[in-house]
């Protein structure tokens, strides 16, 4: 991916409590994106929201509920995003409380890869 490319963002809207076996779903999606060589992934934790169930969840300090909205954004070229979705689709279809998946076409305004540090530079 480079500056000026037209790429796609895959967004998975889910909950902080959704799991795949014992692993949070958002964590599984990020590591799966990395294993599949996608350009990047970011997890956004919401402070309030609702989905298909119409139940509102929020992060108010007096509530003990840990269930909050989460959006996982994964970015790369369109063919890679579409292929990755086919990889994760079976897992998402089994999410107990549902999820929403969208894509958007975006233009890369700037892409600067970071320098990896060796273990000796830490």
């Amino acid at each position: 991916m480079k500056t000026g490319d037209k790429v796609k963002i895959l967004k998975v809207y889910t909950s902080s409590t959704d799991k795949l076996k014992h692993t949070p779903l958002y964590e599984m999606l990020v590591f799966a994106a990395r294993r599949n060589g996608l350009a990047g992934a970011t997890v956004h934790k919401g402070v309030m929201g609702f989905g298909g169930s119409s139940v509102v969840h929020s992060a108010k300090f007096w509530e003990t509920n840990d269930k909050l909205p989460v959006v996982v954004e994964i970015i790369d070229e369109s063919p890679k995003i579409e292929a990755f979705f086919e990889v994760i689709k079976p897992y998402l279809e089994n999410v107990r409380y549902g999820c929403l998946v969208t894509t958007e076409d975006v233009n890369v305004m700037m892409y600067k890869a970071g320098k990896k540090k060796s273990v000796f530079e830490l």
Side-chain angles (χ1 to χ4, degrees):
M1 188 168 71
K2 59 187 182 300
T3 301
D5 281 357
K6 292 186 179 192
V7 298
K8 193 167 280 216
I9 294 179
L10 172 75
K11 292 184 182 183
V12 180
Y13 296 81
T14 186
S15 167
S16 59
T17 59
D18 286 333
K19 298 194 182 309
L20 182 66
K21 297 187 181 179
H22 300 291
T23 303
L25 180 63
Y26 63 85
E27 191 174 296
M28 183 280 296
L29 292 170
V30 169
F31 285 116
R34 186 169 177 229
R35 273 193 314 275
N36 283 269
L38 281 100
T42 301
V43 178
H44 303 276
K45 190 172 188 180
V47 295
M48 187 175 199
F50 73 94
S53 69
S54 294
V55 175
V56 176
H57 299 281
S58 70
K60 293 183 179 177
F61 70 90
W62 59 83
E63 293 184 11
T64 58
N65 188 356
D66 290 334
K67 186 177 178 81
L68 293 172
V70 173
V71 179
V72 181
E73 292 186 350
I74 301 168
I75 189 166
D76 211 315
E77 298 165 347
S78 187
K80 286 184 171 182
I81 290 291
E82 290 165 11
F84 181 67
F85 176 68
E86 293 305 317
V87 169
I88 63 171
K89 186 177 177 181
Y91 302 107
L92 297 176
E93 287 174 335
N94 290 315
V95 172
R96 183 174 179 190
Y97 297 108
C99 64
L100 172 68
V101 180
T102 65
T103 60
E104 296 176 43
D105 293 325
V106 295
N107 296 318
V108 177
M109 299 293 291
M110 182 172 118
Y111 181 71
K112 181 182 179 297
K115 179 184 172 192
K116 292 183 180 180
K117 291 186 175 187
S118 76
V119 292
F120 301 108
E121 293 181 79
L122 298 177

